[in-house]
Structure formats: C-alpha cells, structure tokens
Amino acid sequence: MTPTIRTVLGDLDPAELGATDSHDHLFIRSPLLPGEELDDPAAAEVVLRAFAAAGGRSFVQWTPYGMGRGADSLARLSRVTGVHVVAATGLHQAAHYDPDTLPALYDGLSERFIAELTTGLTAEPATEPPGPPGPPAAPEAPASPEAVRAGLIKVACDPGTTTAHTRRVMAAAADAHHATGAPIAVHLEPRAHPHLVLNRLHVRHGVPPHRIILGHLTRLPDVRVHRELAAEGVYFALDSPSRAGHPADHQAFDVIADLVEAGHASRLLLGADTTTRTARRADGPTELLNDLVPRLARTFGPELSGLFLTANPAAAFATDWRTP
Ligand SMILES: [Zn+2]
C-alpha cells in the first residue's frame, strides 16, 4: 500500500503536497482567548487565497475537537482556493473546554478520534454565543453532510505535572494511532519537558517516534534535547511567524543550524501557527513563504529550505491508513 496524506477532500499522494504550512489554524476558539476567535469562513478564505498566491499548496490545521474547527467550511474552502487542507481530531488541554461538558467527552474518546479519522468529523458541543440572551443556539458545527476526515491527532502536554486529562487524551490518541496509523501532533508548553511526551506516547503507549510531531520547538531552546529527540526520529514543527516577538523565536535559526549540523535536517517542518485574530494580522502563512523560507534558503541553501517546506511534511503526514 502507498502511504497517503488524508486531506479534507480525500487521500493525497505525498508527491502532490507541495509547499506546506505544517502547523496552523484557519478556525480556532478557546475560552482562554475571548474576542480572539478565528471563526469567519470569509476571513479564512482570504488567508488561503493569499497563501496560494505566494506559492502555498497545503495547509495543516492543528485545531482539535471542540475548539471550533470550521468542520462544515473546510472542504469548500479547499475546493475554492485549490489549497490542500488537513484537519485534526484530538483534544487540547482541559482549560480550553467548558468544565461542564468535558467529562462527557471522555466516554468513548478513542472511538471518537478513530471515527473522525476514518468516517468524518463529528459535531462539537454547542457554545453559548456572547451578548444578550436570545433563543438557544443551534449546535455550532452540525456533522458535515460531506464526510470530512481528519488527517492527524492533536494533543497537548501540560505546563507542569501531567494531569489526568492529559493521560486520558494521550492514551486515546495512541489507541487511535494504532487503529488508523494517523500521526500525532503535540502542543508543547514552555516549561514542559518533551521527554515526558515521548515517554508517554512512545515508551508507555507504543507510538513510533517518527509518527510524533512536536510543535513550538523554539519554546525549548535546549539543543541537546532537540538532538536527542531528533535521533529518536521525532519531527519538530518550527512555528514562529505568527508569533513574531516571542523571545525564543529569535533563536530559531540557531536551533535549525544545530539540528542540521547534527544531521537531523529531515526532522524539521515549518508552520505559522496563527491562533488569534491579533496574530492573523501578521499574515503568518504568507510570510512563511515570502519571508521565512527565503531567509532559510539564504542561510542554509535552497535544498534544505525545500526539505523543511515540502519533502519533510510529505513524509511526516503520509500514512498507511488503516480502518479498524
Ligand atoms: Zn497551533
């Protein structure tokens, strides 16, 4: 069987992936970021059209279940813009969910992840709209009439000690990986230790390291840790452009240089990780192509920048899909 990348419009030959924003968001909402919701399909279309005009071919959205993924818009947006879009299942940290509805989500969690990877994204819990009370809101994302399948599982680690929530979510993500082959993308916290993620997903739950993609690499500017994880086969997403100004982002080129020097250039992916309306003003996906990639090419040569932008994501997201 030939590995494919599971997009919202179907399974794609990795050779067709092209220039890829490997970690980003067209739609996302969290109670932690009130007023910063990315929830407008027209705005998402503007982002994708600009990305396509700059030469972008594929866009991987890391928004998990229950955070307003735009499930009913992704297929249309991909079709009208010509950009391949990969959607995610999974769950983020507990703080991003309504504490009243979260416990119910734990029932059948791995089954939900598997269904979203193999059958289609499912409806998310309704959210209360801001503003004066009106008639009850309809469920936010009705199960799409068009089956839109997820192509990866998004999870997150904790800033401190691993919580019961994270233990459940990572166990379910590993189950879903074993059932389907799907890659697992992980949100890292600045004070977290990525070895805890590898211990849990790989050592405890048997997920191969090359099926794990760690986001926010520059939040952990310890090159020894990067080298150890890269040697295990883990992928890293360098996802700075929409977060310009984060102190660690200034170290991104040093981090890349060290990994390249250590022979791990094949482990690096690039993303813009736009999570708020404020960040969207930075045009992350387009700047990735118009600013970051040319600078990478000048520093490391066009071959390596092409590896980070195109060949590495084609390998990281391609899967021998299984249906349990
Ligand atoms: Zn993200």
Side-chain angles (χ1 to χ4, degrees):
M1 207 166 78
T2 316
T4 56
I5 293 160
R6 183 150 289 173
T7 78
V8 297
L9 294 182
D11 289 353
L12 184 75
D13 180 342
E16 302 293 315
L17 195 68
T20 301
D21 181 344
S22 290
H23 174 188
D24 217 321
H25 306 271
L26 291 169
F27 298 91
I28 191 166
R29 65 147 193 266
S30 165
L32 300 183
L33 296 164
E36 288 282 2
E37 297 77 13
L38 299 181
D39 56 3
D40 179 0
E45 186 175 330
V46 170
V47 168
L48 282 185
R49 285 196 188 283
F51 179 64
R57 296 292 297 128
S58 297
F59 187 105
V60 183
Q61 170 165 284
W62 286 28
T63 312
Y65 178 84
M67 293 185 70
R69 295 172 292 188
D72 49 356
S73 301
L74 294 175
R76 184 189 66 77
L77 287 170
S78 177
R79 202 173 281 119
V80 299
T81 63
V83 176
H84 304 298
V85 175
V86 176
T89 185
L91 283 187
H92 210 302
Q93 293 155 347
H96 293 287
Y97 297 89
D98 175 352
D100 294 334
T101 59
L102 190 56
L105 296 185
Y106 296 139
D107 288 332
L109 194 58
S110 57
E111 289 79 2
R112 180 187 296 280
F113 293 168
I114 292 165
E116 295 208 320
L117 291 157
T118 57
T119 309
L121 300 183
T122 55
E124 303 194 343
T127 49
E128 288 297 322
E140 181 264 338
S144 173
E146 183 175 17
V148 168
R149 293 183 295 186
L152 83 159
I153 307 161
K154 161 73 177 284
V155 301
C157 70
D158 300 299
T161 321
T162 304
T163 60
H165 168 85
T166 295
R167 289 197 293 272
R168 284 176 190 211
V169 171
M170 289 206 179
D175 282 350
H177 161 79
H178 290 304
T180 64
I184 300 177
V186 185
H187 163 98
L188 291 180
E189 282 289 329
R191 294 181 304 285
H193 203 296
H195 278 300
L196 292 177
V197 174
L198 202 67
N199 281 345
R200 187 155 293 278
L201 287 177
H202 172 53
V203 179
R204 180 183 292 252
H205 293 302
V207 178
H210 74 279
R211 302 280 57 191
I212 299 170
I213 304 163
L214 299 177
H216 307 314
L217 177 64
T218 54
R219 287 183 177 180
L220 304 144
D222 180 340
V223 292
R224 285 166 310 162
V225 172
H226 300 159
R227 285 186 195 187
E228 285 169 27
L229 292 168
E232 298 257 13
V234 169
Y235 284 98
F236 298 113
L238 278 147
D239 35 35
S240 307
S242 293
R243 300 173 173 273
H246 190 287
D249 291 338
H250 300 304
Q251 292 164 302
F253 275 48
D254 294 339
V255 167
I256 296 170
D258 185 80
L259 282 170
V260 168
E261 165 79 25
H264 300 307
S266 67
R267 301 293 101 193
L268 286 165
L269 315 177
L270 306 174
D273 194 24
T274 315
T275 53
T276 60
R277 291 185 188 189
T278 305
R280 182 165 271 173
R281 292 189 207 119
D283 283 331
T286 301
E287 285 302 294
L288 176 76
L289 300 174
N290 287 346
D291 176 59
L292 180 64
V293 168
R295 285 193 287 124
L296 288 170
R298 282 196 294 276
T299 308
F300 300 105
E303 213 166 290
L304 280 185
S305 66
L307 203 61
F308 307 154
L309 186 66
T310 303
N312 291 349
F317 296 111
T319 298
D320 279 320
W321 291 99
R322 299 186 286 276
T323 303

